[in-house]
Amino acid sequence: MTVRGHDIMVDGKPFTVRGAAGTVRLDVLAGLGANTIRTYGAEEAAVLDEAQKHGLKVILGFWLEHPRRGVSYRDPAFVRRQLDQLKAFVERYRDHPALLMWGLGNEVESELADDSQVWPGIEEAAKLVKQLDRKHPTLAVLAEAGNNKVAKLKAAAPSVDVLGVNSYGDSLPSLPGRVRQQGWTGPLLITELGPMGQWQAAKTPWGAFIEPTSGEKAALLRRYLPPLAPPATSGHLVFLWGNKQEVTPTWHSLLLPSGEWTETAEALAAQWHGRTPSGNHAPRIREFSFTHAANWPAGAIGRAVLKAEDPDHDKLQATWTILAESTDLRVAGDLEKVPPSFPQALLGGGLDGVNIQGLKPGRYRLFLVLRDGRGAAATANLPFLLE
């Protein structure tokens, strides 16, 4: 593996990255047409063997700690400890056949008023890796491309071979141009890609982010992915092939905790020339709304109505959940706690809707999961306020 101009080269041929950040359900991901996964830290390195089994390459991540969390790249003792850990990591995995490149950090520069200490720290890590392994390129990952950070990285970290940028929603179409304007001449990967970040979403009058349904997310992916194909970039990785709590349990989750995939997988398969398992299609949500305004007096009964269908005419099952609106909102993808749930407030839930009663005043979300019984699902939620 090496780089040549804008290209990542594998076995002497340009290699276009198609894949996701994540380490689960690799059989399904490979079937969609993916060829690569991305990890973030040493604890995920065990996925190399599983990736190899499914014909997937791995961008193997090593976590470079963030200054926003209290470390300093001007502290020689900290830097030495981290480089020692990196050295052991590279020496352990550099000969694995699934390894595509080394992912050095993720958004290390995020949430800093002064990011000047970060760029030399990334260079030290990349330089060390290149001394230990000449066979695999080095990748550094930025949170978007603003504040001239691409130019800063290029100037201070010449040992970085491939630039990764995490970008979402309407920021995606202009990203390649904005990166090139800052002077980056090597391969560009979109190392996290999503249809919409919560910071880009509309809000309710009381400040709750409005999440697109899984079908709406699929429609956004169908719009954003084609313009990012080569030569605009050297590939992309969607986020997240798995599930996590970030504002909600479903916002960035392309899989349910129980393993089902959503219509977003169909959008990926179309772009990557693959197929969903057995050619199955996910359920479609045609209507999901409250019969009244999304705020009503505590003690009154609220009702949400649903209209849904399945392209394959599979029998659908609806699962309803109420969670408190999350107050554990973090930055830069840090782990958040799932809010408490209130199953006692759900009355008569089915495929036509559900009633809500018995909650105290406060901010909540009503979540819907539709399953087709064949491994596919649809998700949606509605924020609501009880006064």
Side-chain angles (χ1 to χ4, degrees), residues 220-235:
L220 290 169
L221 283 180
R222 292 185 178 104
R223 186 205 310 174
Y224 293 136
L225 289 176
L228 300 175
T233 74
S234 294

Side-chain angles (χ1 to χ4, degrees), residues 18 27-35 265-281:
R18 304 185 305 269
D27 55 336
V28 175
L29 186 65
L32 300 180
N35 59 19
E266 296 178 45
L268 296 174
Q271 181 68 21
W272 297 344
H273 308 293
R275 68 195 301 261
T276 58
S278 302
N280 189 24
H281 297 84

Side-chain angles (χ1 to χ4, degrees), residues 8 17 38 40 59 101-109 119 122 137-146 149-150 153-154 160-167 172 175-176 179-180 184 186-193 233-237:
I8 299 163
V17 170
R38 177 192 173 200
Y40 290 79
I59 298 175
M101 68 181 74
W102 302 100
L104 300 176
N106 183 68
E107 303 184 358
V108 186
E109 83 291 351
W119 315 116
I122 293 174
T138 54
L139 165 82
V141 176
L142 305 178
E144 255 294 332
K149 63 176 70 175
V150 175
L153 176 71
K154 183 176 186 295
V160 171
D161 299 311
V162 181
L163 174 65
V165 180
N166 298 342
S167 186
L172 285 162
L175 179 65
V179 166
R180 299 302 179 192
W184 184 259
L188 166 64
L189 290 182
I190 303 179
T191 37
E192 284 183 15
L193 177 156
T233 74
S234 294
H236 60 263
L237 299 131

Side-chain angles (χ1 to χ4, degrees), residues 359-370:
L359 291 169
K360 296 179 180 179
R363 301 176 180 185
Y364 302 89
R365 280 184 193 254
L366 174 66
F367 288 82
L368 164 68
V369 175
L370 282 175

Side-chain angles (χ1 to χ4, degrees), residues 3 18 32 53 62 88 100 102 124 164 167 179 190 197 208 210 213 222 230 232 244 310-311 321 338 341-342 367 379:
V3 301
R18 304 185 305 269
L32 300 180
K53 175 182 173 182
F62 180 85
L100 178 65
W102 302 100
E124 283 192 86
S167 186
V179 166
I190 303 179
I210 299 173
T213 68
R222 292 185 178 104
K244 69 173 294 194
D310 188 90
T321 307
V338 178
S341 63
F342 301 90
F367 288 82
T379 63

